[in-house]
Amino acid sequence: MIRMQPRELPAEALAELADLQREIDNLPTYPERVSAAVEQWPSRRRRRVFDLVEKVLGDMCPGPKRCMFCEDNGAYQIEHFRPKSLYPGLVYAWVNYLFACGQCNAPKSNRFAIFSAGGEVLELVRTALEPESGPSVLLDPRQDEPMDYLWLDLSDTFRFKPIHAAGTPDYSRADVTLRWLGLNDRDELVEARRSAYGNYLARFEQYATRKRSNADPQILERLRHSIGRLTHITVWREMQRQHQTINELRALFAEAPEALEWR
Ligand SMILES: [Zn+2]
């Protein structure tokens, strides 16, 4: 998981979302706002404005319409980061939308947790009372840089690990994100990261070999471009970040240090 590049939604689309949101916000009580948000969503979701929402979210994805959480499956579900069943005031908020696959969206679904004033993880349940907005425990790939909380083990397991010490809030953010989304538990994701590493390495070796033999700059540029189109971009970012500690990477990045800046 990496932080998504921000993109703007056109002003007319934002205005249309604001109109839809106003309908919800004008309802007198919190339970009514929750019911309306949940019940209206499937039909409102079919409006044309959401084609545009999907298009812009798709442009933000890590790879062509890849899920913002797992980077593996196609993204086809607009995911409310703060669930509409808890935060009806954000059901039509552009900033609250992510683009995810069903396998990531289903287990996360309506779950949400915030840090209490005392710093404890508080999983929210739907009640008649509006929950505090409180800081999110789950990492939001639009607002947070997940790589500040997680690192990917490229030498062995290809599973993510929390960066910060157990017992700290930053550890909780990493831990809850990994568990709720199943990012380490789905074997196919682990295998996809492992094979992505092999693909990145092979292309990068090809680049270094060509560079060594003074290849035409256009050929080098084409190879660079092909690396940028591979899936599981987090694997590449980790290769850049960990290049000093993995022998085969240290040698390659020493030959082609420009690749440390490739995004
Ligand atoms: Zn996913």
Side-chain angles (χ1 to χ4, degrees):
M1 254 174 103
I2 56 166
R3 185 172 188 167
M4 300 300 110
Q5 291 296 319
R7 296 271 191 283
E8 292 302 322
L9 200 62
E12 318 83 77
L14 287 172
E16 187 171 342
L17 292 180
D19 287 344
L20 292 171
Q21 186 65 58
R22 211 166 297 116
E23 281 181 42
I24 303 288
D25 295 347
N26 285 342
L27 295 168
T29 67
Y30 173 70
E32 284 171 281
R33 293 195 292 277
V34 168
S35 298
V38 172
E39 284 160 23
Q40 286 178 6
W41 174 253
S43 60
R44 298 285 198 265
R45 168 75 178 80
R46 289 198 289 272
R47 287 183 171 224
R48 203 170 278 171
V49 67
F50 286 103
D51 294 343
L52 192 55
V53 167
E54 282 196 4
K55 162 87 179 62
V56 180
L57 286 173
D59 290 343
M60 292 162 67
C61 283
K65 277 183 83 174
R66 293 295 97 187
C67 172
M68 290 180 178
F69 291 127
C70 70
E71 300 178 358
D72 196 55
N73 298 322
Y76 60 94
Q77 295 186 354
I78 296 177
E79 146 77 2
H80 291 87
F81 181 68
R82 289 191 185 244
K84 53 191 174 302
S85 59
L86 293 166
Y87 296 101
L90 293 172
V91 61
Y92 299 111
W94 161 240
V95 292
N96 195 37
Y97 293 158
L98 300 175
F99 216 17
C101 75
Q103 277 181 294
C104 289
N105 201 7
K108 192 245 166 211
S109 188
N110 293 327
R111 292 183 84 181
F112 201 70
I114 57 171
F115 287 108
S116 70
E120 281 165 358
V121 173
L122 197 65
E123 185 166 353
L124 301 178
V125 288
R126 189 169 160 180
T127 68
L129 294 175
E130 188 157 10
E132 293 173 51
S133 60
S136 167
V137 176
L138 198 72
L139 294 170
D140 177 353
R142 284 184 66 176
Q143 308 298 331
D144 300 306
E145 174 46 85
M147 287 185 72
D148 290 345
Y149 300 85
L150 300 166
W151 68 278
L152 182 62
D153 177 6
L154 297 176
S155 305
D156 183 17
T157 65
F158 286 86
R159 288 184 159 81
F160 287 103
K161 296 182 179 171
I163 289 176
H164 301 279
T168 61
D170 287 347
Y171 175 91
S172 298
R173 299 200 71 189
D175 179 54
V176 165
T177 301
L178 292 175
R179 284 192 291 110
W180 286 14
L181 297 171
L183 295 179
N184 282 340
D185 306 328
R186 285 142 64 187
D187 290 344
E188 70 278 14
L189 289 183
V190 175
E191 284 316 306
R193 288 178 209 132
R194 195 186 299 279
S195 82
Y197 180 75
N199 292 337
Y200 279 115
L201 195 60
R203 296 276 174 97
F204 193 25
E205 278 169 346
Q206 208 178 348
Y207 177 91
T209 306
R210 291 297 182 94
K211 188 183 174 190
R212 216 177 295 137
S213 60
N214 297 313
D216 188 320
Q218 277 187 335
I219 293 177
L220 293 181
E221 187 51 36
R222 209 162 53 231
L223 281 167
R224 174 198 167 147
H225 194 66
S226 74
I227 289 173
R229 285 213 309 265
L230 294 174
T231 55
H232 285 275
I233 193 169
T234 300
V235 170
W236 174 251
R237 297 284 175 86
E238 286 289 3
M239 288 167 73
Q240 292 173 318
R241 176 158 74 170
Q242 297 177 35
H243 74 281
Q244 292 286 14
T245 55
I246 299 174
N247 285 341
E248 59 193 355
L249 296 182
R250 188 167 52 232
L252 282 170
F253 279 102
E255 275 195 85
E258 64 276 20
L260 287 170
E261 306 301 323
W262 294 350
R263 284 288 183 261

Coordinates of all heavy atoms in Angstrom, one line a residue, residues 25-105:
D25 N -28.2 15.6 5.1 CA -27.9 16.4 6.2 C -29.2 17.1 6.8 O -29.2 17.5 7.9 CB -26.9 17.4 5.9 CG -25.5 16.8 5.6 OD1 -25.4 15.6 5.9 OD2 -24.6 17.5 5.0
N26 N -30.2 17.3 5.9 CA -31.4 18.1 6.3 C -32.3 17.2 7.1 O -33.3 17.7 7.7 CB -32.1 18.6 5.1 CG -31.4 19.9 4.5 OD1 -30.5 20.5 5.2 ND2 -31.7 20.2 3.3
L27 N -32.1 15.9 7.1 CA -33.0 15.1 7.9 C -32.8 15.4 9.4 O -31.6 15.6 9.8 CB -32.8 13.6 7.6 CG -33.2 13.2 6.2 CD1 -32.6 11.8 5.8 CD2 -34.7 13.3 6.0
P28 N -33.8 15.3 10.2 CA -33.7 15.9 11.6 C -32.9 15.1 12.6 O -32.3 15.6 13.4 CB -35.2 16.0 12.1 CG -36.0 15.1 11.2 CD -35.2 15.0 9.9
T29 N -32.9 13.7 12.4 CA -32.2 13.0 13.5 C -31.1 12.1 12.9 O -31.1 11.7 11.7 CB -33.2 12.0 14.2 OG1 -33.6 11.0 13.3 CG2 -34.4 12.8 14.8
Y30 N -30.2 11.7 13.7 CA -29.0 10.9 13.3 C -29.5 9.5 12.7 O -29.1 9.1 11.6 CB -28.0 10.7 14.4 CG -26.9 9.7 14.1 CD1 -25.9 10.0 13.2 CD2 -26.9 8.5 14.8 CE1 -24.9 9.1 12.9 CE2 -25.9 7.6 14.5 CZ -24.9 7.9 13.6 OH -23.9 7.0 13.3
P31 N -30.4 8.8 13.4 CA -30.9 7.5 12.9 C -31.5 7.7 11.5 O -31.3 6.8 10.6 CB -31.9 7.0 13.9 CG -31.4 7.6 15.2 CD -30.9 9.0 14.8
E32 N -32.3 8.7 11.3 CA -32.9 9.0 10.0 C -31.8 9.2 8.9 O -31.9 8.8 7.8 CB -33.8 10.2 10.0 CG -35.2 9.9 10.7 CD -36.0 11.1 10.9 OE1 -35.7 11.9 11.9 OE2 -36.9 11.4 10.1
R33 N -30.8 10.0 9.3 CA -29.7 10.2 8.3 C -29.0 8.9 7.9 O -28.6 8.7 6.8 CB -28.7 11.3 8.9 CG -29.4 12.7 9.0 CD -28.3 13.8 9.2 NE -27.6 13.7 10.5 CZ -28.1 14.2 11.7 NH1 -29.3 14.8 11.7 NH2 -27.4 14.1 12.8
V34 N -28.7 8.1 8.9 CA -28.1 6.8 8.7 C -28.9 6.0 7.7 O -28.4 5.5 6.7 CB -27.8 6.0 10.0 CG1 -27.4 4.6 9.7 CG2 -26.7 6.7 10.8
S35 N -30.2 5.8 8.1 CA -31.1 5.0 7.2 C -31.1 5.5 5.8 O -31.0 4.7 4.8 CB -32.5 5.0 7.8 OG -32.5 4.4 9.1
A36 N -31.3 6.8 5.7 CA -31.4 7.4 4.3 C -30.1 7.2 3.6 O -30.1 6.8 2.4 CB -31.7 8.9 4.4
A37 N -29.0 7.4 4.2 CA -27.7 7.2 3.5 C -27.5 5.8 3.0 O -27.1 5.6 1.9 CB -26.5 7.6 4.5
V38 N -27.8 4.9 3.9 CA -27.6 3.4 3.5 C -28.6 3.0 2.5 O -28.3 2.4 1.5 CB -27.8 2.6 4.8 CG1 -27.8 1.1 4.4 CG2 -26.6 2.9 5.8
E39 N -29.9 3.4 2.6 CA -30.9 3.0 1.7 C -30.8 3.6 0.3 O -31.1 3.0 -0.7 CB -32.3 3.2 2.3 CG -32.6 2.2 3.4 CD -33.7 2.7 4.3 OE1 -34.5 3.5 3.9 OE2 -33.8 2.1 5.4
Q40 N -30.4 4.9 0.3 CA -30.4 5.6 -1.0 C -29.1 5.3 -1.8 O -29.2 5.4 -3.0 CB -30.3 7.1 -0.7 CG -31.7 7.8 -0.3 CD -31.5 9.3 -0.1 OE1 -30.4 9.8 -0.3 NE2 -32.5 9.9 0.4
W41 N -28.1 4.9 -1.1 CA -26.8 4.7 -1.8 C -26.9 3.9 -3.1 O -26.4 4.3 -4.2 CB -25.7 4.2 -0.9 CG -24.4 3.9 -1.6 CD1 -23.9 2.6 -1.8 CD2 -23.5 4.8 -2.1 NE1 -22.7 2.7 -2.5 CE2 -22.4 4.1 -2.7 CE3 -23.4 6.2 -2.2 CZ2 -21.3 4.6 -3.3 CZ3 -22.3 6.8 -2.8 CH2 -21.3 6.0 -3.4
P42 N -27.5 2.6 -3.1 CA -27.5 1.8 -4.3 C -28.1 2.5 -5.5 O -27.6 2.4 -6.6 CB -28.3 0.6 -3.9 CG -28.2 0.5 -2.4 CD -28.2 2.0 -2.0
S43 N -29.2 3.2 -5.3 CA -29.8 3.9 -6.5 C -29.1 5.2 -6.8 O -28.8 5.4 -8.0 CB -31.3 4.2 -6.2 OG -31.4 5.1 -5.1
R44 N -28.7 6.0 -5.8 CA -27.9 7.2 -6.2 C -26.6 6.8 -6.8 O -26.1 7.6 -7.7 CB -27.6 8.0 -4.9 CG -28.8 8.5 -4.1 CD -29.4 9.7 -4.9 NE -30.3 10.4 -4.0 CZ -31.6 10.2 -3.9 NH1 -32.2 9.3 -4.7 NH2 -32.4 10.9 -3.1
R45 N -26.0 5.7 -6.5 CA -24.7 5.3 -7.0 C -24.8 5.1 -8.5 O -23.8 5.1 -9.2 CB -24.4 4.0 -6.3 CG -23.2 3.1 -6.8 CD -21.9 3.7 -6.5 NE -20.8 2.9 -7.0 CZ -20.4 2.9 -8.3 NH1 -21.0 3.6 -9.1 NH2 -19.4 2.1 -8.6
R46 N -26.0 4.9 -9.0 CA -26.1 4.6 -10.5 C -26.2 5.9 -11.3 O -26.2 5.9 -12.5 CB -27.4 3.8 -10.8 CG -27.3 2.4 -10.3 CD -28.3 1.5 -11.0 NE -29.6 1.7 -10.4 CZ -30.1 1.1 -9.4 NH1 -29.4 0.2 -8.7 NH2 -31.3 1.4 -8.9
R47 N -26.2 7.1 -10.6 CA -26.2 8.4 -11.3 C -24.9 8.5 -12.1 O -23.8 8.0 -11.8 CB -26.3 9.5 -10.3 CG -27.7 9.6 -9.7 CD -27.7 10.8 -8.8 NE -29.1 11.0 -8.4 CZ -29.7 12.2 -8.3 NH1 -29.0 13.3 -8.6 NH2 -30.9 12.3 -8.0
R48 N -25.0 9.4 -13.1 CA -23.9 9.6 -14.0 C -22.7 10.2 -13.4 O -21.5 9.9 -13.7 CB -24.3 10.4 -15.2 CG -23.5 10.2 -16.4 CD -24.1 10.9 -17.6 NE -25.1 10.1 -18.3 CZ -25.9 10.5 -19.3 NH1 -25.8 11.7 -19.7 NH2 -26.8 9.7 -19.8
V49 N -22.9 11.0 -12.3 CA -21.8 11.6 -11.7 C -20.8 10.6 -11.1 O -19.6 10.9 -11.1 CB -22.3 12.6 -10.5 CG1 -22.9 11.8 -9.4 CG2 -21.1 13.4 -10.0
F50 N -21.3 9.4 -10.8 CA -20.4 8.4 -10.3 C -19.5 7.8 -11.3 O -18.5 7.2 -11.0 CB -21.2 7.4 -9.4 CG -21.6 8.0 -8.1 CD1 -22.9 8.4 -7.9 CD2 -20.7 8.2 -7.1 CE1 -23.3 8.9 -6.7 CE2 -21.0 8.7 -5.9 CZ -22.3 9.1 -5.7
D51 N -19.9 7.9 -12.6 CA -19.0 7.5 -13.7 C -17.7 8.3 -13.6 O -16.6 7.8 -13.8 CB -19.6 7.6 -15.1 CG -20.8 6.7 -15.3 OD1 -20.9 5.7 -14.5 OD2 -21.6 7.0 -16.2
L52 N -17.9 9.6 -13.4 CA -16.8 10.5 -13.3 C -16.0 10.3 -12.0 O -14.8 10.3 -12.0 CB -17.4 12.0 -13.3 CG -16.3 13.1 -13.5 CD1 -15.5 12.9 -14.7 CD2 -17.0 14.4 -13.5
V53 N -16.7 10.0 -10.9 CA -16.0 9.7 -9.6 C -15.1 8.5 -9.9 O -14.0 8.5 -9.5 CB -17.1 9.4 -8.5 CG1 -16.4 8.8 -7.3 CG2 -17.8 10.7 -8.1
E54 N -15.7 7.5 -10.5 CA -14.9 6.2 -10.8 C -13.7 6.5 -11.7 O -12.6 6.0 -11.5 CB -15.8 5.2 -11.5 CG -16.7 4.5 -10.6 CD -17.3 3.2 -11.2 OE1 -16.8 2.9 -12.3 OE2 -18.1 2.6 -10.6
K55 N -13.9 7.4 -12.7 CA -12.8 7.7 -13.6 C -11.7 8.4 -12.8 O -10.5 8.0 -13.0 CB -13.4 8.6 -14.7 CG -12.4 9.4 -15.5 CD -11.9 8.6 -16.7 CE -10.9 9.3 -17.6 NZ -9.7 9.6 -16.9
V56 N -12.0 9.3 -12.0 CA -10.9 10.1 -11.3 C -10.3 9.2 -10.3 O -9.1 9.1 -10.1 CB -11.5 11.4 -10.7 CG1 -10.4 12.1 -10.0 CG2 -12.1 12.3 -11.8
L57 N -11.1 8.4 -9.6 CA -10.5 7.4 -8.6 C -9.6 6.4 -9.3 O -8.5 6.1 -8.9 CB -11.6 6.7 -7.9 CG -12.4 7.4 -6.8 CD1 -13.5 6.6 -6.2 CD2 -11.5 7.8 -5.6
G58 N -10.1 6.0 -10.5 CA -9.3 5.1 -11.3 C -7.9 5.6 -11.7 O -6.9 4.9 -11.7
D59 N -7.9 7.0 -12.0 CA -6.6 7.6 -12.3 C -5.7 7.7 -11.1 O -4.5 7.9 -11.3 CB -6.8 9.0 -12.8 CG -7.5 9.0 -14.2 OD1 -7.5 8.0 -14.9 OD2 -8.1 10.1 -14.6
M60 N -6.2 7.6 -9.9 CA -5.4 7.7 -8.7 C -4.8 6.4 -8.3 O -4.0 6.3 -7.5 CB -6.3 8.3 -7.5 CG -6.7 9.7 -7.7 SD -8.1 10.2 -6.6 CE -7.3 10.0 -5.0
C61 N -5.4 5.3 -8.9 CA -5.1 4.0 -8.4 C -3.6 3.6 -8.7 O -3.0 4.2 -9.6 CB -5.9 2.9 -9.1 SG -7.6 2.8 -8.5
P62 N -3.1 2.7 -7.9 CA -1.7 2.2 -8.1 C -1.6 1.2 -9.2 O -1.7 0.0 -9.0 CB -1.3 1.5 -6.8 CG -2.6 1.1 -6.2 CD -3.7 2.0 -6.8
G63 N -1.5 1.7 -10.5 CA -1.6 0.8 -11.6 C -3.0 1.0 -12.2 O -3.9 1.5 -11.6
P64 N -3.2 0.4 -13.4 CA -4.5 0.7 -14.1 C -5.6 0.1 -13.3 O -5.8 -1.1 -13.3 CB -4.3 0.0 -15.5 CG -3.1 -0.9 -15.3 CD -2.3 -0.4 -14.2
K65 N -6.4 1.0 -12.7 CA -7.6 0.6 -11.9 C -7.3 -0.6 -11.0 O -8.1 -1.5 -10.8 CB -8.8 0.3 -12.8 CG -9.5 1.6 -13.3 CD -10.7 1.3 -14.1 CE -11.9 1.0 -13.3 NZ -13.1 0.8 -14.1
R66 N -6.2 -0.5 -10.3 CA -5.9 -1.6 -9.3 C -6.4 -1.1 -8.0 O -6.4 0.1 -7.6 CB -4.4 -1.8 -9.2 CG -3.7 -2.4 -10.4 CD -4.2 -3.8 -10.7 NE -5.2 -3.8 -11.8 CZ -5.9 -4.9 -12.1 NH1 -5.7 -6.0 -11.6 NH2 -6.8 -4.8 -13.1
C67 N -6.8 -2.0 -7.2 CA -7.4 -1.8 -5.8 C -6.4 -0.9 -5.0 O -5.2 -1.2 -4.9 CB -7.7 -3.1 -5.1 SG -8.1 -2.9 -3.4
M68 N -6.9 0.1 -4.3 CA -6.0 1.0 -3.6 C -5.5 0.3 -2.3 O -4.5 0.8 -1.7 CB -6.8 2.2 -3.1 CG -7.1 3.2 -4.3 SD -8.0 4.6 -3.8 CE -8.1 5.5 -5.3
F69 N -6.1 -0.8 -1.9 CA -5.6 -1.5 -0.7 C -4.6 -2.6 -1.1 O -3.4 -2.6 -0.7 CB -6.7 -2.1 0.1 CG -7.6 -1.1 0.8 CD1 -9.0 -1.2 0.6 CD2 -7.1 -0.2 1.6 CE1 -9.8 -0.3 1.2 CE2 -7.9 0.7 2.3 CZ -9.3 0.7 2.1
C70 N -5.0 -3.6 -2.0 CA -4.2 -4.7 -2.2 C -3.3 -4.6 -3.5 O -2.3 -5.3 -3.6 CB -5.0 -6.0 -2.3 SG -6.1 -6.1 -3.8
E71 N -3.6 -3.7 -4.4 CA -2.9 -3.4 -5.6 C -3.0 -4.6 -6.6 O -2.3 -4.6 -7.6 CB -1.4 -3.1 -5.4 CG -1.2 -1.9 -4.5 CD 0.3 -1.6 -4.2 OE1 1.1 -2.4 -4.7 OE2 0.5 -0.6 -3.6
D72 N -3.7 -5.6 -6.3 CA -3.7 -6.8 -7.1 C -4.9 -7.0 -8.0 O -4.8 -7.1 -9.2 CB -3.6 -8.1 -6.1 CG -3.2 -9.3 -6.9 OD1 -2.1 -9.3 -7.6 OD2 -3.9 -10.3 -6.8
N73 N -6.1 -6.9 -7.3 CA -7.3 -7.0 -8.1 C -7.8 -5.7 -8.7 O -7.3 -4.7 -8.3 CB -8.5 -7.5 -7.2 CG -8.2 -8.8 -6.5 OD1 -7.6 -9.7 -7.2 ND2 -8.5 -9.0 -5.3
G74 N -8.7 -5.8 -9.7 CA -9.3 -4.7 -10.3 C -10.1 -3.9 -9.3 O -10.8 -4.6 -8.4
A75 N -10.1 -2.6 -9.3 CA -10.9 -1.8 -8.4 C -12.3 -1.5 -9.1 O -12.3 -1.1 -10.2 CB -10.2 -0.5 -8.1
Y76 N -13.3 -1.9 -8.4 CA -14.6 -1.6 -9.0 C -15.7 -1.2 -8.0 O -16.8 -0.9 -8.4 CB -15.1 -2.9 -9.8 CG -15.3 -4.1 -9.0 CD1 -16.5 -4.4 -8.4 CD2 -14.2 -4.9 -8.7 CE1 -16.7 -5.5 -7.6 CE2 -14.4 -6.1 -7.9 CZ -15.6 -6.4 -7.4 OH -15.8 -7.5 -6.6
Q77 N -15.3 -1.2 -6.7 CA -16.3 -0.7 -5.7 C -15.8 0.6 -5.1 O -14.7 0.7 -4.7 CB -16.4 -1.8 -4.6 CG -17.0 -3.1 -5.1 CD -17.3 -4.1 -4.0 OE1 -16.9 -3.9 -2.9 NE2 -17.9 -5.2 -4.4
I78 N -16.7 1.6 -5.1 CA -16.4 2.8 -4.4 C -16.6 2.5 -2.9 O -17.7 2.1 -2.5 CB -17.4 4.0 -4.8 CG1 -17.2 4.3 -6.3 CG2 -17.1 5.2 -4.0 CD1 -18.1 5.4 -6.8
E79 N -15.5 2.6 -2.2 CA -15.5 2.3 -0.8 C -15.6 3.6 0.0 O -14.8 4.5 -0.3 CB -14.2 1.5 -0.5 CG -13.5 1.7 0.8 CD -14.2 0.9 1.9 OE1 -15.2 0.2 1.7 OE2 -13.7 1.1 3.0
H80 N -16.5 3.6 1.0 CA -16.5 4.8 1.9 C -15.5 4.5 3.0 O -15.7 3.5 3.8 CB -17.9 4.9 2.6 CG -19.0 5.3 1.6 ND1 -19.7 4.4 0.8 CD2 -19.4 6.5 1.3 CE1 -20.6 5.1 0.1 NE2 -20.4 6.4 0.3
F81 N -14.5 5.3 3.1 CA -13.4 5.1 4.1 C -14.1 5.1 5.5 O -14.0 4.2 6.3 CB -12.3 6.1 4.0 CG -11.2 5.8 5.0 CD1 -10.4 4.7 4.9 CD2 -11.0 6.8 6.0 CE1 -9.5 4.5 5.9 CE2 -10.1 6.5 7.0 CZ -9.3 5.4 6.9
R82 N -14.8 6.2 5.8 CA -15.6 6.2 7.0 C -17.0 5.7 6.6 O -17.7 6.4 5.7 CB -15.7 7.6 7.6 CG -14.4 8.1 8.2 CD -14.5 9.3 9.0 NE -13.1 9.7 9.5 CZ -12.7 9.7 10.7 NH1 -13.6 9.5 11.7 NH2 -11.5 10.1 11.1
P83 N -17.5 4.6 7.1 CA -18.7 3.9 6.6 C -19.9 4.8 6.7 O -20.1 5.6 7.6 CB -18.8 2.7 7.5 CG -17.5 2.5 8.1 CD -16.8 3.8 8.2
K84 N -20.8 4.7 5.7 CA -22.0 5.5 5.6 C -22.9 5.2 6.7 O -23.7 6.0 7.2 CB -22.7 5.4 4.3 CG -22.9 4.0 3.8 CD -23.4 4.0 2.3 CE -23.5 2.5 1.8 NZ -22.3 1.7 1.9
S85 N -22.8 3.9 7.3 CA -23.7 3.5 8.3 C -23.3 4.1 9.7 O -24.0 4.1 10.7 CB -23.7 2.0 8.5 OG -22.4 1.5 8.7
L86 N -22.1 4.7 9.7 CA -21.7 5.4 11.0 C -21.6 6.9 10.8 O -21.8 7.7 11.7 CB -20.3 4.9 11.4 CG -20.2 3.4 11.8 CD1 -18.8 2.9 11.9 CD2 -20.9 3.3 13.2
Y87 N -21.1 7.3 9.6 CA -20.9 8.7 9.2 C -21.8 9.1 8.0 O -21.2 9.3 6.9 CB -19.5 9.0 9.0 CG -18.5 8.7 10.2 CD1 -17.8 7.6 10.3 CD2 -18.4 9.7 11.2 CE1 -16.9 7.4 11.3 CE2 -17.6 9.5 12.3 CZ -16.9 8.3 12.3 OH -16.0 8.1 13.4
P88 N -23.1 9.2 8.2 CA -23.9 9.6 7.0 C -23.6 11.0 6.5 O -23.9 11.2 5.3 CB -25.4 9.5 7.6 CG -25.2 9.7 9.1 CD -23.9 9.1 9.4
G89 N -22.9 11.8 7.3 CA -22.5 13.1 6.8 C -21.4 13.1 5.8 O -21.0 14.1 5.2
L90 N -20.9 11.9 5.5 CA -19.8 11.7 4.6 C -20.1 10.8 3.4 O -19.3 10.4 2.7 CB -18.5 11.2 5.3 CG -17.9 12.1 6.3 CD1 -16.8 11.4 7.1 CD2 -17.3 13.4 5.6
V91 N -21.4 10.4 3.3 CA -21.8 9.5 2.3 C -21.5 10.0 0.9 O -21.2 9.2 0.0 CB -23.3 9.0 2.5 CG1 -24.3 10.1 2.3 CG2 -23.6 7.9 1.5
Y92 N -21.6 11.3 0.7 CA -21.4 11.9 -0.6 C -20.1 12.8 -0.6 O -20.0 13.7 -1.4 CB -22.6 12.6 -1.2 CG -23.8 11.7 -1.4 CD1 -24.9 11.8 -0.5 CD2 -23.7 10.7 -2.3 CE1 -26.0 10.9 -0.7 CE2 -24.8 9.8 -2.5 CZ -25.9 9.9 -1.7 OH -26.9 9.0 -1.8
A93 N -19.2 12.5 0.3 CA -18.0 13.4 0.4 C -16.9 12.7 -0.5 O -16.5 11.6 -0.2 CB -17.6 13.4 1.9
W94 N -16.5 13.5 -1.4 CA -15.4 13.0 -2.3 C -14.2 12.5 -1.6 O -13.6 11.5 -1.9 CB -15.1 14.2 -3.3 CG -13.8 14.1 -4.0 CD1 -12.7 15.0 -4.0 CD2 -13.4 13.0 -4.9 NE1 -11.7 14.5 -4.8 CE2 -12.0 13.4 -5.4 CE3 -14.0 11.9 -5.4 CZ2 -11.3 12.6 -6.3 CZ3 -13.2 11.1 -6.3 CH2 -12.0 11.4 -6.7
V95 N -13.8 13.3 -0.5 CA -12.6 12.9 0.2 C -12.7 11.5 0.9 O -11.7 11.0 1.3 CB -12.2 13.9 1.3 CG1 -11.7 15.2 0.6 CG2 -13.3 14.2 2.3
N96 N -14.0 11.1 1.1 CA -14.2 9.8 1.8 C -14.2 8.6 0.9 O -14.4 7.5 1.3 CB -15.5 9.9 2.5 CG -15.7 8.9 3.6 OD1 -14.7 8.5 4.3 ND2 -16.9 8.4 3.8
Y97 N -14.0 8.8 -0.4 CA -14.1 7.7 -1.4 C -12.7 7.1 -1.7 O -11.8 7.8 -2.0 CB -14.7 8.2 -2.7 CG -16.2 8.6 -2.6 CD1 -16.7 9.5 -3.6 CD2 -17.0 8.2 -1.6 CE1 -18.0 9.8 -3.5 CE2 -18.3 8.5 -1.6 CZ -18.8 9.4 -2.5 OH -20.2 9.8 -2.5
L98 N -12.7 5.8 -1.7 CA -11.6 5.0 -2.2 C -12.1 4.1 -3.3 O -13.3 3.9 -3.4 CB -11.0 4.2 -1.1 CG -10.4 5.0 0.1 CD1 -9.9 4.0 1.2 CD2 -9.3 5.9 -0.3
F99 N -11.2 3.5 -4.0 CA -11.6 2.5 -5.1 C -10.9 1.2 -4.7 O -9.7 1.1 -4.6 CB -11.1 3.0 -6.4 CG -12.0 2.8 -7.6 CD1 -13.4 2.4 -7.4 CD2 -11.5 2.8 -8.9 CE1 -14.2 2.2 -8.4 CE2 -12.4 2.6 -10.0 CZ -13.7 2.3 -9.7
A100 N -11.8 0.2 -4.5 CA -11.3 -1.1 -4.0 C -11.8 -2.3 -4.7 O -12.8 -2.2 -5.4 CB -11.6 -1.2 -2.5
C101 N -11.2 -3.4 -4.4 CA -11.8 -4.7 -5.0 C -12.8 -5.2 -3.9 O -12.8 -4.8 -2.8 CB -10.7 -5.7 -5.2 SG -9.9 -6.4 -3.8
G102 N -13.6 -6.2 -4.3 CA -14.5 -6.8 -3.4 C -13.9 -7.5 -2.3 O -14.4 -7.5 -1.1
Q103 N -12.7 -8.2 -2.5 CA -12.1 -8.9 -1.5 C -11.5 -8.0 -0.4 O -11.4 -8.5 0.8 CB -10.9 -9.7 -2.1 CG -11.4 -11.1 -2.7 CD -10.2 -11.8 -3.2 OE1 -9.6 -11.4 -4.2 NE2 -9.9 -12.9 -2.6
C104 N -11.2 -6.8 -0.7 CA -10.7 -5.9 0.4 C -11.9 -5.2 1.0 O -12.0 -5.0 2.2 CB -9.8 -4.8 -0.2 SG -8.2 -5.5 -0.6
N105 N -12.9 -4.8 0.2 CA -14.0 -4.1 0.7 C -14.9 -4.9 1.6 O -15.4 -4.4 2.6 CB -14.8 -3.5 -0.5 CG -15.7 -2.3 -0.2 OD1 -15.6 -1.8 0.9 ND2 -16.5 -1.9 -1.1

